[in-house]
Amino acid sequence: MKNLAAAALSAVLLLSAPAAAQYDYERARQNYLDLQAGRKQPQDLTPLELEELRRLDAAVRAGTDVRPIQLPDTKARCRERNATEHPSQLEEAVLSLKCSQRKD
């Protein structure tokens, strides 16, 4: 089972994706650990989380600094942080208002 999870993780990490200069190190690290332990599957991750895993993997392989950095607060990060699993229309409106002042 671990070999299958490792193969799936490798496949996900090797897929091409747009480059991003910054990523959420802590979330990428936790997602990596969850994938290795079988608590999550690659299909459980959002596109942003997959990109963060790719960035973490690339940094580790390149031997570059992988320490956490402060990320800008974007609309996507705001929505991710505050969203519920199945928001009602009211919750969605509140979330849109709450995150409206952040950059895209």
Side-chain angles (χ1 to χ4, degrees):
M1 186 68 168
K2 281 191 174 186
N3 290 338
L4 179 60
L9 178 59
S10 295
V12 167
L13 293 175
L14 293 175
L15 294 174
S16 63
Q22 300 175 333
Y23 61 95
D24 186 336
Y25 168 82
E26 285 301 323
R27 181 170 56 187
R29 182 179 166 279
Q30 187 58 52
N31 281 330
Y32 177 80
L33 294 173
D34 288 345
L35 286 167
Q36 287 292 13
R39 290 185 294 268
K40 284 187 178 180
Q41 297 298 314
Q43 62 269 21
D44 297 333
L45 303 178
T46 66
L48 179 59
E49 290 170 328
L50 289 172
E51 176 60 22
E52 290 169 351
L53 269 179
R54 289 184 195 100
R55 303 305 304 163
L56 176 64
D57 180 65
V60 169
R61 289 175 191 257
T64 58
D65 190 6
V66 293
R67 287 178 290 162
I69 54 176
Q70 185 63 32
L71 298 175
D73 196 18
T74 63
K75 285 182 185 179
R77 288 199 183 284
C78 177
R79 291 185 72 77
E80 232 174 59
R81 251 192 344 270
N82 296 292
T84 59
E85 191 169 334
H86 300 290
S88 67
Q89 284 183 329
L90 178 58
E91 290 171 323
E92 187 64 37
V94 168
L95 187 58
S96 292
L97 182 59
K98 182 174 187 174
C99 299
S100 67
Q101 299 302 311
R102 286 152 178 94
K103 296 180 182 179
D104 285 328

